[in-house]
Amino acid sequence: DTEVTQTPKHLVMGMTNKKSLKCEQHMGHRAMYWYKQKAKKPPELMFVYSYEKLSINESVPSRFSPECPNSSLLNLHLHALQPEDSALYLCASSQGGGTGRYEQYFGPGTRLTVT
Amino acid sequence: SQQGEEDPQALSIQEGENATMNCSYKTSINNLQWYRQNSGRGLVHLILIRSNEREKHSGRLRVTLDTSKKSSSLLITASRAADTASYFCATVLPYGGATNKLIFGTGTLLAVQP
């Protein structure tokens, strides 16, 4: 199974709502990533978990809260978002550099609209 | 910014023609990767070339790497309408443990006309 799944596919939320994005992989990868992508731009890294521990936080506002419950699951909790947070949110996973395998596997993304 | 640059920003060709896109990066690298993204979807890994390689092939894809010029190119031969997508190059910053940070280029939007 070389698939990364993300739910939901689309999400519309108000600025006072709390919602969560979910990501799952069953490839035994030990690193998982959250990216934000605006239209016609490359993905921007938000967070990285390595062996279920947060290893990179790219100075992301606290209204985004990541969680890695186990090695297969990654969540992104959203609270009090702003309209400018509307974007495609991508999850990815990779085996890890120590294995010599650097490629990342991406999920299909969640299209988030904040109203 | 560590972000790489790609050119052209957009490329429109006819089916059957070849498409070439170029990537320049700023730091020394261990490897460089190319990804494809269909409109509004996730990225798909296409090919990885290591810093000690100069050329690599995978099906209709040919990638070259010139570390002295800090540049790479992706050639898609005999293009098809299904190749229509955005293409991103990415270099890797290893962080230790399992963590690798991808530094993406600005992307090339390829449109293949039937």
Side-chain angles (χ1 to χ4, degrees):
Chain A
D1 183 3
T2 58
E3 192 179 22
V4 176
T5 59
Q6 288 187 244
T7 55
K9 290 184 179 178
H10 300 275
L11 179 62
V12 179
M13 59 185 291
M15 290 190 284
T16 58
N17 291 160
K18 286 185 181 180
K19 296 286 185 183
S20 296
L21 309 184
K22 296 184 184 302
C23 173
E24 191 166 3
Q25 58 89 12
H26 293 287
M27 295 177 277
H29 290 172
R30 305 319 301 265
M32 295 186 75
Y33 308 77
W34 279 116
Y35 290 88
K36 173 184 176 181
Q37 187 179 27
K38 294 286 223 180
K40 298 185 180 181
K41 296 289 187 182
E44 298 174 25
L45 183 66
M46 300 175 72
F47 302 104
V48 183
Y49 274 83
S50 172
Y51 295 95
E52 301 163 45
K53 287 184 169 41
L54 184 65
S55 61
I56 297 179
N57 176 342
E58 293 283 81
S59 303
V60 178
S62 59
R63 58 185 184 269
F64 295 91
S65 176
E67 179 195 18
C68 189
N70 60 56
S71 59
S72 299
L73 293 174
L74 188 65
N75 298 322
L76 186 63
H77 303 297
L78 314 173
H79 173 56
L81 294 192
Q82 304 296 310
E84 59 264 30
D85 296 323
S86 298
L88 181 67
Y89 287 83
L90 294 163
C91 174
S93 69
S94 67
Q95 282 192 349
T99 63
R101 301 296 302 270
Y102 296 93
E103 62 268 31
Q104 293 187 13
Y105 293 77
F106 284 79
T110 293
R111 174 72 60 190
L112 174 67
T113 303
V114 181
T115 60
Chain B
S1 168
Q2 296 171 312
Q3 189 176 69
E5 297 288 326
E6 289 184 57
D7 76 88
Q9 287 188 342
L11 179 61
S12 181
I13 60 174
Q14 298 293 317
E15 243 182 346
E17 293 180 340
N18 295 343
T20 299
M21 46 207 92
N22 304 295
C23 166
S24 60
Y25 56 91
K26 298 182 180 180
T27 63
S28 60
I29 62 169
N30 176 291
N31 65 81
L32 184 142
Q33 304 174 38
W34 286 89
Y35 288 82
R36 183 188 75 225
Q37 184 178 32
N38 291 87
S39 181
R41 304 289 293 168
L43 282 74
V44 174
H45 179 263
L46 295 176
I47 194 166
L48 179 152
I49 185 165
R50 298 186 189 277
S51 59
N52 60 354
E53 298 175 310
R54 291 296 168 258
E55 189 171 310
K56 197 162 183 179
H57 297 253
S58 176
R60 294 183 296 112
L61 306 180
R62 174 180 156 235
V63 169
T64 61
L65 179 65
D66 186 334
T67 54
S68 65
K69 294 181 179 177
K70 291 188 168 60
S71 67
S72 175
S73 67
L74 172 67
L75 168 67
I76 304 174
T77 60
S79 63
R80 306 166 181 168
D83 295 326
T84 295
S86 291
Y87 291 82
F88 295 96
C89 66
T91 55
V92 176
L93 269 182
Y95 265 73
T99 304
N100 293 295
K101 179 177 177 178
L102 290 181
I103 311 296
F104 285 97
T106 48
T108 293
L109 178 59
L110 173 66
V112 181
Q113 310 297 333

